Amino acid sequence: MGLEKMGVILGFVGFLMLNELLVCMAQGNVHYYDFVLKETNFTRLCSTKSMLTVNDSFPGPVIRVNKGDTVYVNVHNQGQYNVTIHWHGVKQPRNPWSDGPDYITQCPIQPGTNFTQEIIFSTEEGTLWWHAHSDWSRATVHGAIIVSPAAGTTYPFPQPDAEETIVLASWFKGDVPAIIEEALNSGGEPNQSDAFTINGQPGDLYNCATDAESIYRILVDYGRTYLLRIVNAVMNEEIFFGIAHHNLTVVGLDGAYIKPITTDFIMITPGQTMDVLITANQSLSSYYIAANPFFDGETQFNNSTTTAILQYNGNYTPPASPPMPALPRYSDEDSAMNFTASLRSLASEEHPISVPQNITTRMYVTVSVNQLICPERNCSGPNGNRLSASLNNISFVPPPISVLQAYYRNISGIFDKDFPNEPPYYFDFTQPNMPSNLSVPTQGTKAKILNYNEVVEIVFQGTNVLNSAENHPMHLHGFSFYLVGMGVGNFNDQTDPGRYNLVDPPEVNTFGVPKNGWVAIRFTADNPGVWFMHCHLERHSSWGMDAVIIVKNGSTSATSMRPPPAYMPPC
């Protein structure tokens, strides 16, 4: 073989190797984690309980990646219950097999078994989180996901001096699986939580709480700026959050950047994550970090305050009682609405957005709390009936095997493909004292089928069925969506679209439908697979405020759902 020909061959081989290297670099790094789920004893508020945890920690371990990385998590279930893990806000392109919601994309991981999930990061950047997605196990099984900028890139704001992860959660003295099981059996409201926590600690305002043992502390140096990565893992309440005497600058939401907002407080719904900058620019002292509920419904809720301490390093005499942030009153709908309405995508050259314009599928989805009739009127819900919830008056029924398995294997009789684009009948959805016949939904396991690349607009309409209107944080798996509109009252399809923000709407995966109001979202159905859509108030999801969206394959292998892994948990 001549030297010239050999040089051409070696050059071609070198080109292939370089191309493969560039592809690998584009796909990011690979990380491996082991999650061991087992019962662990914890003592809070003078009460010790055994609860399901990951790696003996509450909250669970933090997953750290860079944009575009891939993670393999081997989940070992050494607990007493079936469980699944969901990677909240990770789009999982073409890979619903590892998304996690039980009986939607997989059967649960049974005690004594394990399942390795592949988490594929794509466009996400910022803070996300993971949590159990079976029954109410997410109360104790959850943790943060930190997605740092890709190599060679940086934040769209000055580099913070340090960062801190803050996970807000609910604390139940009782056994959480028993609480929801009892509620579902009786048809009534589940017991509310006994406390909220910040990084696993309730703070010092609860009965039987001591400062030394019950409060989380963040140590800061004067003049430094800190990035707070805040996760709301609370089960059933939206949260107001603030730090005494310190401004919060919100720069990220649900794994995407936003135009910076400087504020005294944030309102963060269950399922949401926010990236917040604070500068330690106050007098050397200690300051309360506090979180309390925003709740605009009519039922009982946990109206308590959890605290932590922002503590300056240095020589000073700590105050006997640190100052407390002035948070809005729990029922302050205007403060909650004004804050959420101020959120805008960054929409910069480095972080562009693409708001869908030419809609091909429009859906109008009513969001309701309902009742199912108990013939003997001996249930614990309203009028002796059973509490329920619905989307478009359909209360979701979990199937015996996963919807994804049934769809992929073409197994009939597991789910119906006729989730409707609109409710069965129209009326004044926000009126008080509705006729009782409007409060009973149908039941079913229904999916909405979308063609690949369909451009979708969904208007979620809050309702006042059973006089139970409240804010509903809706979450869509497999996608981020643009929140293009929001308002109070009934959506008007003639006038309200004219007020949409199609320039810089926030790109999110979870967003609250305001009490007796509506939100409009848009997304392109470019992620083939089976994806769950549900309310992130856990009691509402348990009652059936859920549906499934199925995106069909495109015309190529690169636009089609990946085949299943060699092993999936059996039912």
Side-chain angles (χ1 to χ4, degrees):
M1 182 183 294
L3 290 178
E4 183 178 351
K5 188 173 184 181
M6 182 179 292
V8 172
I9 293 174
L10 289 176
F12 180 67
V13 171
F15 169 78
L16 291 178
M17 292 177 66
L18 177 60
N19 186 61
E20 183 176 351
L21 176 62
L22 291 174
V23 169
C24 290
M25 290 174 62
Q27 291 176 341
N29 295 319
V30 178
H31 310 265
Y32 299 89
Y33 288 83
D34 277 292
F35 277 15
V36 180
L37 289 101
K38 63 180 181 178
E39 294 288 321
T40 308
N41 286 336
F42 278 79
T43 300
R44 299 287 186 272
L45 308 180
C46 296
S47 177
T48 299
K49 62 180 286 188
S50 177
M51 66 190 203
L52 190 66
T53 64
V54 170
N55 298 354
D56 295 317
S57 60
F58 174 71
V62 176
I63 290 179
R64 298 179 184 274
V65 299
N66 288 91
K67 182 179 180 180
D69 287 355
T70 298
V71 174
Y72 291 91
V73 181
N74 194 350
V75 181
H76 306 262
N77 186 2
Q78 298 178 8
Q80 304 171 16
Y81 306 99
N82 292 340
V83 72
T84 63
I85 304 292
H86 167 55
W87 319 96
H88 187 114
V90 183
K91 299 180 184 69
Q92 292 278 38
R94 303 172 47 234
N95 185 36
W97 304 101
S98 285
D99 189 50
D102 63 343
Y103 299 105
I104 305 300
T105 61
Q106 70 173 83
C107 298
I109 307 167
Q110 299 173 14
T113 67
N114 67 294
F115 175 48
T116 297
Q117 293 176 258
E118 179 185 17
I119 302 99
I120 303 172
F121 292 86
S122 54
T123 61
E124 308 88 356
E125 187 173 331
T127 305
L128 299 170
W129 66 303
W130 59 266
H131 60 83
H133 213 303
S134 44
D135 298 321
W136 276 26
S137 47
R138 84 164 176 88
T140 58
V141 178
H142 58 251
I145 300 174
I146 294 176
V147 186
S148 297
T153 66
T154 188
Y155 301 115
F157 45 81
Q159 178 79 23
D161 296 294
E163 65 178 49
E164 182 83 24
T165 301
I166 295 177
V167 179
L168 309 172
S170 302
W171 181 263
F172 295 82
K173 289 184 177 180
D175 180 60
V176 177
I179 288 172
I180 183 56
E181 182 179 3
E182 178 184 357
L184 293 177
N185 287 337
S186 71
E189 287 272 4
N191 291 343
Q192 59 188 280
S193 60
D194 296 286
F196 300 116
T197 59
I198 296 176
N199 287 351
Q201 296 292 348
D204 58 358
L205 300 185
Y206 293 98
N207 291 333
C208 201
T210 61
D211 177 78
E213 298 177 355
S214 302
I215 197 160
Y216 187 83
R217 293 176 181 271
I218 299 177
L219 301 179
V220 297
D221 292 317
Y222 180 83
R224 290 195 161 197
T225 296
Y226 297 81
L227 174 59
L228 305 183
R229 300 181 176 275
I230 304 174
V231 176
N232 187 356
V234 170
M235 296 291 280
N236 288 306
E237 291 92 359
E238 286 89 1
I239 293 293
F240 288 124
F241 172 95
I243 303 175
H245 297 182
H246 289 76
N247 286 330
L248 309 176
T249 301
V250 188
V251 293
L253 174 68
D254 282 2
Y257 295 116
I258 65 170
K259 290 181 171 64
I261 299 169
T262 300
T263 177
D264 296 332
F265 69 91
I266 63 172
M267 197 286 281
I268 182 168
T269 73
Q272 278 187 330
T273 57
M274 291 187 185
D275 297 318
V276 176
L277 296 173
I278 67 160
T279 298
N281 56 9
Q282 298 300 303
S283 301
L284 299 187
S285 188
S286 294
Y287 300 86
Y288 267 129
I289 304 168
N292 57 230
F294 163 60
F295 193 86
D296 54 5
E298 300 299 326
T299 188
Q300 293 184 342
F301 67 101
N302 180 352
N303 188 14
S304 67
T305 301
T306 179
T307 54
I309 294 290
L310 186 77
Q311 180 176 317
Y312 280 70
N313 292 314
N315 295 319
Y316 59 89
T317 301
S321 180
M324 181 72 73
L327 297 178
R329 179 175 165 78
Y330 74 85
S331 58
D332 190 340
E333 295 179 42
D334 289 341
S335 290
M337 188 83 163
N338 290 339
F339 172 77
T340 54
S342 67
L343 300 170
R344 296 284 187 272
S345 284
L346 185 59
S348 66
E349 184 177 347
E350 296 79 12
H351 299 277
I353 63 173
S354 180
V355 184
Q357 303 290 330
N358 300 314
I359 304 302
T360 59
T361 297
R362 297 184 187 275
M363 300 177 66
Y364 186 61
V365 178
T366 52
V367 183
S368 305
V369 173
N370 308 87
Q371 61 180 334
L372 296 173
I373 301 299
C374 292
E376 304 297 327
R377 303 284 176 163
N378 58 352
C379 294
S380 299
N383 308 310
N385 292 321
R386 177 180 300 278
L387 280 164
S388 179
S390 67
L391 298 175
N392 271 353
N393 210 45
I394 301 166
S395 186
F396 188 81
V397 178
I401 65 172
S402 77
V403 175
L404 176 56
Q405 179 184 350
Y407 174 68
Y408 188 79
R409 304 291 182 194
N410 199 25
I411 302 172
S412 61
I414 302 301
F415 70 96
D416 297 316
K417 301 178 181 180
D418 59 350
F419 184 85
N421 284 349
E422 58 184 335
Y425 32 77
Y426 284 80
F427 52 92
D428 182 352
F429 296 113
T430 63
Q431 68 176 307
N433 304 314
M434 293 184 185
S436 59
N437 66 306
L438 298 177
S439 67
V440 181
T442 60
Q443 292 182 280
T445 307
K446 293 185 180 291
K448 171 64 181 177
I449 310 296
L450 295 172
N451 290 320
Y452 183 81
N453 258 353
E454 277 198 63
V455 183
V456 183
E457 178 177 298
I458 304 178
V459 175
F460 291 102
Q461 174 67 60
T463 72
N464 197 25
V465 175
L466 289 184
N467 291 325
S468 58
E470 63 180 282
N471 189 292
H472 295 282
M474 297 302 300
H475 172 48
L476 176 59
H477 293 217
F479 295 90
S480 290
F481 52 81
Y482 292 100
L483 185 90
V484 298
M486 178 171 61
V488 296
N490 294 304
F491 176 75
N492 186 315
D493 63 358
Q494 299 299 310
T495 58
D496 286 328
R499 294 192 288 269
Y500 282 177
N501 173 14
L502 301 179
V503 176
D504 58 355
E507 183 181 7
V508 296
N509 60 65
T510 308
F511 212 89
V513 180
K515 177 180 180 178
N516 285 327
W518 57 271
V519 298
I521 72 170
R522 288 184 175 185
F523 65 96
T524 300
D526 55 3
N527 192 7
V530 172
W531 308 107
F532 203 28
M533 180 174 69
H534 63 97
C535 180
H536 227 280
L537 298 181
E538 207 65 22
R539 70 188 198 281
H540 291 170
S541 184
S542 297
W543 293 339
M545 196 176 284
D546 321 300
V548 173
I549 287 181
I550 296 178
V551 178
K552 297 167 68 173
N553 287 338
S555 58
T556 68
S557 59
T559 59
S560 298
M561 185 170 58
R562 293 170 52 183
Y567 171 80
M568 289 291 293
C571 284

Short mmCIF file of all heavy atoms in Angstrom, two decimals, residues 156-158 160 225-230 241-243 246-253 257-266 274-279 281 339 343:
data_model
loop_
_atom_site.label_atom_id
_atom_site.label_comp_id
_atom_site.label_asym_id
_atom_site.label_seq_id
_atom_site.Cartn_x
_atom_site.Cartn_y
_atom_site.Cartn_z
N PRO A 156 -25.86 33.09 33.17
CA PRO A 156 -26.16 34.39 32.55
C PRO A 156 -26.24 35.51 33.59
O PRO A 156 -26.91 36.52 33.39
CB PRO A 156 -27.52 34.15 31.89
CG PRO A 156 -28.18 33.14 32.77
CD PRO A 156 -27.07 32.24 33.28
N PHE A 157 -25.57 35.32 34.71
CA PHE A 157 -25.49 36.32 35.78
C PHE A 157 -24.11 36.16 36.42
O PHE A 157 -23.43 35.12 36.21
CB PHE A 157 -26.61 36.14 36.80
CG PHE A 157 -26.85 34.73 37.24
CD1 PHE A 157 -26.06 34.12 38.22
CD2 PHE A 157 -27.86 33.98 36.67
CE1 PHE A 157 -26.27 32.82 38.61
CE2 PHE A 157 -28.09 32.66 37.06
CZ PHE A 157 -27.29 32.08 38.03
N PRO A 158 -23.64 37.14 37.19
CA PRO A 158 -22.31 37.03 37.79
C PRO A 158 -22.17 35.75 38.62
O PRO A 158 -23.09 35.34 39.32
CB PRO A 158 -22.22 38.28 38.67
CG PRO A 158 -23.14 39.26 38.02
CD PRO A 158 -24.27 38.45 37.47
N PRO A 160 -21.84 33.31 41.35
CA PRO A 160 -22.00 33.45 42.80
C PRO A 160 -20.77 32.93 43.53
O PRO A 160 -20.00 32.11 43.01
CB PRO A 160 -23.24 32.59 43.09
CG PRO A 160 -23.31 31.61 41.97
CD PRO A 160 -22.74 32.30 40.77
N THR A 225 -22.14 36.75 47.56
CA THR A 225 -23.42 36.45 46.94
C THR A 225 -23.57 34.94 46.85
O THR A 225 -22.63 34.22 46.46
CB THR A 225 -23.50 37.07 45.53
OG1 THR A 225 -23.45 38.50 45.65
CG2 THR A 225 -24.80 36.68 44.84
N TYR A 226 -24.78 34.46 47.17
CA TYR A 226 -25.05 33.03 47.25
C TYR A 226 -26.20 32.66 46.32
O TYR A 226 -27.19 33.40 46.21
CB TYR A 226 -25.40 32.63 48.69
CG TYR A 226 -24.25 32.86 49.65
CD1 TYR A 226 -24.00 34.13 50.17
CD2 TYR A 226 -23.39 31.82 49.99
CE1 TYR A 226 -22.93 34.35 51.03
CE2 TYR A 226 -22.32 32.03 50.86
CZ TYR A 226 -22.09 33.30 51.36
OH TYR A 226 -21.03 33.51 52.21
N LEU A 227 -26.05 31.52 45.65
CA LEU A 227 -27.11 30.98 44.81
C LEU A 227 -27.87 29.95 45.63
O LEU A 227 -27.32 28.91 46.01
CB LEU A 227 -26.52 30.35 43.55
CG LEU A 227 -27.49 29.61 42.63
CD1 LEU A 227 -28.59 30.53 42.12
CD2 LEU A 227 -26.75 28.97 41.45
N LEU A 228 -29.14 30.23 45.90
CA LEU A 228 -30.00 29.30 46.60
C LEU A 228 -30.79 28.50 45.57
O LEU A 228 -31.47 29.06 44.72
CB LEU A 228 -30.98 30.04 47.53
CG LEU A 228 -30.36 30.99 48.56
CD1 LEU A 228 -31.45 31.59 49.43
CD2 LEU A 228 -29.31 30.30 49.41
N ARG A 229 -30.67 27.18 45.65
CA ARG A 229 -31.43 26.29 44.77
C ARG A 229 -32.59 25.73 45.59
O ARG A 229 -32.40 24.87 46.44
CB ARG A 229 -30.52 25.19 44.24
CG ARG A 229 -29.32 25.72 43.44
CD ARG A 229 -28.47 24.58 42.92
NE ARG A 229 -27.39 25.02 42.08
CZ ARG A 229 -27.48 25.27 40.77
NH1 ARG A 229 -28.65 25.15 40.16
NH2 ARG A 229 -26.42 25.64 40.07
N ILE A 230 -33.80 26.23 45.32
CA ILE A 230 -34.96 25.96 46.16
C ILE A 230 -35.89 24.97 45.48
O ILE A 230 -36.28 25.16 44.32
CB ILE A 230 -35.70 27.27 46.49
CG1 ILE A 230 -34.73 28.27 47.15
CG2 ILE A 230 -36.88 27.00 47.41
CD1 ILE A 230 -35.32 29.64 47.38
N PHE A 241 -42.00 32.06 50.72
CA PHE A 241 -40.65 31.87 51.28
C PHE A 241 -39.92 33.20 51.27
O PHE A 241 -40.00 33.96 50.29
CB PHE A 241 -39.89 30.84 50.44
CG PHE A 241 -38.43 30.67 50.79
CD1 PHE A 241 -38.03 29.68 51.66
CD2 PHE A 241 -37.46 31.51 50.23
CE1 PHE A 241 -36.68 29.52 51.99
CE2 PHE A 241 -36.12 31.36 50.55
CZ PHE A 241 -35.73 30.37 51.43
N GLY A 242 -39.19 33.51 52.34
CA GLY A 242 -38.41 34.74 52.39
C GLY A 242 -37.33 34.68 53.44
O GLY A 242 -37.28 33.75 54.27
N ILE A 243 -36.42 35.67 53.42
CA ILE A 243 -35.33 35.80 54.38
C ILE A 243 -35.37 37.21 54.94
O ILE A 243 -35.40 38.19 54.18
CB ILE A 243 -33.96 35.53 53.72
CG1 ILE A 243 -33.94 34.14 53.07
CG2 ILE A 243 -32.83 35.67 54.74
CD1 ILE A 243 -32.66 33.84 52.29
N HIS A 246 -33.40 40.62 53.70
CA HIS A 246 -32.60 40.32 52.50
C HIS A 246 -33.50 40.22 51.28
O HIS A 246 -34.55 39.57 51.32
CB HIS A 246 -31.84 39.00 52.68
CG HIS A 246 -30.73 39.07 53.66
ND1 HIS A 246 -30.94 39.09 55.02
CD2 HIS A 246 -29.37 39.14 53.47
CE1 HIS A 246 -29.77 39.16 55.64
NE2 HIS A 246 -28.81 39.20 54.74
N ASN A 247 -33.07 40.88 50.20
CA ASN A 247 -33.78 40.75 48.94
C ASN A 247 -33.44 39.41 48.28
O ASN A 247 -32.32 38.90 48.42
CB ASN A 247 -33.41 41.89 47.98
CG ASN A 247 -34.03 43.20 48.39
OD1 ASN A 247 -35.11 43.24 48.96
ND2 ASN A 247 -33.36 44.30 48.08
N LEU A 248 -34.41 38.87 47.57
CA LEU A 248 -34.22 37.67 46.77
C LEU A 248 -34.26 38.07 45.30
O LEU A 248 -35.18 38.77 44.87
CB LEU A 248 -35.33 36.65 47.05
CG LEU A 248 -35.62 36.30 48.52
CD1 LEU A 248 -36.81 35.35 48.60
CD2 LEU A 248 -34.40 35.69 49.18
N THR A 249 -33.29 37.63 44.53
CA THR A 249 -33.30 37.86 43.09
C THR A 249 -33.49 36.53 42.40
O THR A 249 -32.58 35.69 42.38
CB THR A 249 -32.00 38.54 42.62
OG1 THR A 249 -31.84 39.78 43.31
CG2 THR A 249 -32.05 38.80 41.12
N VAL A 250 -34.68 36.32 41.83
CA VAL A 250 -35.01 35.05 41.18
C VAL A 250 -34.43 35.08 39.78
O VAL A 250 -34.73 35.97 38.98
CB VAL A 250 -36.53 34.83 41.14
CG1 VAL A 250 -36.85 33.42 40.64
CG2 VAL A 250 -37.15 35.05 42.52
N VAL A 251 -33.59 34.07 39.45
CA VAL A 251 -32.93 34.03 38.15
C VAL A 251 -33.24 32.76 37.37
O VAL A 251 -32.90 32.65 36.18
CB VAL A 251 -31.41 34.19 38.30
CG1 VAL A 251 -31.05 35.58 38.80
CG2 VAL A 251 -30.83 33.10 39.22
N GLY A 252 -33.88 31.77 38.02
CA GLY A 252 -34.16 30.52 37.33
C GLY A 252 -35.44 29.89 37.86
O GLY A 252 -35.84 30.11 39.01
N LEU A 253 -36.09 29.13 36.99
CA LEU A 253 -37.35 28.48 37.33
C LEU A 253 -37.46 27.18 36.55
O LEU A 253 -37.35 27.17 35.32
CB LEU A 253 -38.52 29.43 36.97
CG LEU A 253 -39.94 28.92 37.11
CD1 LEU A 253 -40.29 28.68 38.57
CD2 LEU A 253 -40.93 29.91 36.49
N TYR A 257 -33.66 29.62 32.70
CA TYR A 257 -33.38 30.95 33.24
C TYR A 257 -34.52 31.92 32.94
O TYR A 257 -35.23 31.80 31.94
CB TYR A 257 -32.08 31.50 32.66
CG TYR A 257 -30.87 30.69 33.05
CD1 TYR A 257 -30.12 30.00 32.09
CD2 TYR A 257 -30.48 30.60 34.38
CE1 TYR A 257 -29.01 29.25 32.46
CE2 TYR A 257 -29.38 29.86 34.76
CZ TYR A 257 -28.65 29.18 33.80
OH TYR A 257 -27.55 28.43 34.17
N ILE A 258 -34.69 32.89 33.84
CA ILE A 258 -35.69 33.93 33.65
C ILE A 258 -35.04 35.30 33.79
O ILE A 258 -33.91 35.41 34.28
CB ILE A 258 -36.85 33.80 34.67
CG1 ILE A 258 -36.35 34.04 36.10
CG2 ILE A 258 -37.53 32.45 34.56
CD1 ILE A 258 -37.47 34.16 37.13
N LYS A 259 -35.74 36.32 33.35
CA LYS A 259 -35.28 37.68 33.59
C LYS A 259 -35.27 37.90 35.10
O LYS A 259 -36.24 37.60 35.79
CB LYS A 259 -36.22 38.69 32.92
CG LYS A 259 -36.13 38.68 31.39
CD LYS A 259 -37.07 39.71 30.78
CE LYS A 259 -36.83 39.85 29.26
NZ LYS A 259 -37.15 38.60 28.52
N PRO A 260 -34.17 38.43 35.66
CA PRO A 260 -34.07 38.54 37.12
C PRO A 260 -35.20 39.37 37.72
O PRO A 260 -35.58 40.41 37.17
CB PRO A 260 -32.71 39.23 37.32
CG PRO A 260 -31.93 38.88 36.08
CD PRO A 260 -32.95 38.85 34.97
N ILE A 261 -35.74 38.87 38.81
CA ILE A 261 -36.80 39.56 39.56
C ILE A 261 -36.32 39.74 40.99
O ILE A 261 -35.98 38.76 41.65
CB ILE A 261 -38.11 38.75 39.56
CG1 ILE A 261 -38.64 38.54 38.16
CG2 ILE A 261 -39.16 39.42 40.43
CD1 ILE A 261 -39.76 37.52 38.09
N THR A 262 -36.27 40.97 41.46
CA THR A 262 -35.89 41.23 42.84
C THR A 262 -37.14 41.42 43.67
O THR A 262 -38.01 42.23 43.33
CB THR A 262 -34.97 42.46 42.94
OG1 THR A 262 -33.79 42.22 42.16
CG2 THR A 262 -34.58 42.71 44.38
N THR A 263 -37.23 40.66 44.77
CA THR A 263 -38.48 40.59 45.53
C THR A 263 -38.19 40.32 47.00
O THR A 263 -37.08 39.89 47.37
CB THR A 263 -39.38 39.49 44.95
OG1 THR A 263 -40.58 39.37 45.73
CG2 THR A 263 -38.67 38.15 44.95
N ASP A 264 -39.18 40.57 47.86
CA ASP A 264 -39.07 40.25 49.29
C ASP A 264 -39.40 38.79 49.56
O ASP A 264 -39.02 38.26 50.61
CB ASP A 264 -40.02 41.13 50.11
CG ASP A 264 -39.66 42.60 50.04
OD1 ASP A 264 -38.46 42.91 49.85
OD2 ASP A 264 -40.57 43.44 50.16
N PHE A 265 -40.14 38.16 48.65
CA PHE A 265 -40.60 36.78 48.89
C PHE A 265 -40.82 36.11 47.54
O PHE A 265 -40.91 36.76 46.50
CB PHE A 265 -41.91 36.76 49.68
CG PHE A 265 -43.08 37.29 48.90
CD1 PHE A 265 -43.89 36.45 48.14
CD2 PHE A 265 -43.38 38.66 48.90
CE1 PHE A 265 -44.95 36.93 47.39
CE2 PHE A 265 -44.44 39.16 48.16
CZ PHE A 265 -45.23 38.29 47.40
N ILE A 266 -40.91 34.79 47.58
CA ILE A 266 -41.33 34.03 46.41
C ILE A 266 -42.56 33.22 46.79
O ILE A 266 -42.79 32.93 47.97
CB ILE A 266 -40.23 33.10 45.88
CG1 ILE A 266 -39.85 32.04 46.93
CG2 ILE A 266 -39.02 33.91 45.43
CD1 ILE A 266 -38.90 30.98 46.41
N MET A 274 -36.78 26.83 42.04
CA MET A 274 -36.35 28.19 41.71
C MET A 274 -34.90 28.38 42.09
O MET A 274 -34.43 27.87 43.11
CB MET A 274 -37.22 29.23 42.43
CG MET A 274 -38.65 29.29 41.94
SD MET A 274 -39.60 30.65 42.66
CE MET A 274 -41.23 30.29 41.97
N ASP A 275 -34.18 29.14 41.26
CA ASP A 275 -32.82 29.57 41.53
C ASP A 275 -32.85 31.02 41.96
O ASP A 275 -33.35 31.88 41.21
CB ASP A 275 -31.94 29.39 40.29
CG ASP A 275 -31.83 27.94 39.87
OD1 ASP A 275 -31.67 27.09 40.75
OD2 ASP A 275 -31.91 27.66 38.65
N VAL A 276 -32.31 31.30 43.15
CA VAL A 276 -32.45 32.61 43.76
C VAL A 276 -31.09 33.09 44.25
O VAL A 276 -30.36 32.34 44.93
CB VAL A 276 -33.43 32.55 44.95
CG1 VAL A 276 -33.51 33.89 45.67
CG2 VAL A 276 -34.82 32.13 44.48
N LEU A 277 -30.73 34.32 43.92
CA LEU A 277 -29.50 34.94 44.42
C LEU A 277 -29.80 35.81 45.63
O LEU A 277 -30.80 36.55 45.64
CB LEU A 277 -28.85 35.80 43.33
CG LEU A 277 -28.36 35.08 42.07
CD1 LEU A 277 -27.90 36.11 41.04
CD2 LEU A 277 -27.24 34.11 42.39
N ILE A 278 -28.95 35.72 46.65
CA ILE A 278 -29.00 36.68 47.75
C ILE A 278 -27.59 37.18 48.01
O ILE A 278 -26.62 36.45 47.81
CB ILE A 278 -29.58 36.07 49.06
CG1 ILE A 278 -28.64 35.00 49.62
CG2 ILE A 278 -30.98 35.54 48.85
CD1 ILE A 278 -28.87 34.70 51.08
N THR A 279 -27.48 38.44 48.40
CA THR A 279 -26.19 39.01 48.79
C THR A 279 -26.21 39.28 50.29
O THR A 279 -27.16 39.88 50.82
CB THR A 279 -25.91 40.31 48.03
OG1 THR A 279 -25.85 40.00 46.63
CG2 THR A 279 -24.59 40.92 48.45
N ASN A 281 -25.50 41.35 52.70
CA ASN A 281 -25.13 42.76 52.79
C ASN A 281 -25.75 43.46 54.01
O ASN A 281 -25.82 44.68 54.06
CB ASN A 281 -25.52 43.50 51.51
CG ASN A 281 -27.01 43.33 51.19
OD1 ASN A 281 -27.77 42.81 51.98
ND2 ASN A 281 -27.40 43.79 50.01
N PHE A 339 -46.86 37.78 41.90
CA PHE A 339 -45.52 37.22 41.79
C PHE A 339 -45.41 36.31 40.58
O PHE A 339 -44.50 36.44 39.76
CB PHE A 339 -45.14 36.46 43.06
CG PHE A 339 -43.84 35.70 42.91
CD1 PHE A 339 -42.64 36.37 42.98
CD2 PHE A 339 -43.83 34.34 42.66
CE1 PHE A 339 -41.43 35.70 42.81
CE2 PHE A 339 -42.64 33.66 42.49
CZ PHE A 339 -41.44 34.34 42.57
N LEU A 343 -43.14 36.52 36.16
CA LEU A 343 -42.09 35.64 35.67
C LEU A 343 -42.00 35.69 34.14
O LEU A 343 -43.01 35.53 33.45
CB LEU A 343 -42.35 34.21 36.14
CG LEU A 343 -42.40 34.02 37.66
CD1 LEU A 343 -42.90 32.63 38.01
CD2 LEU A 343 -41.04 34.28 38.28
#
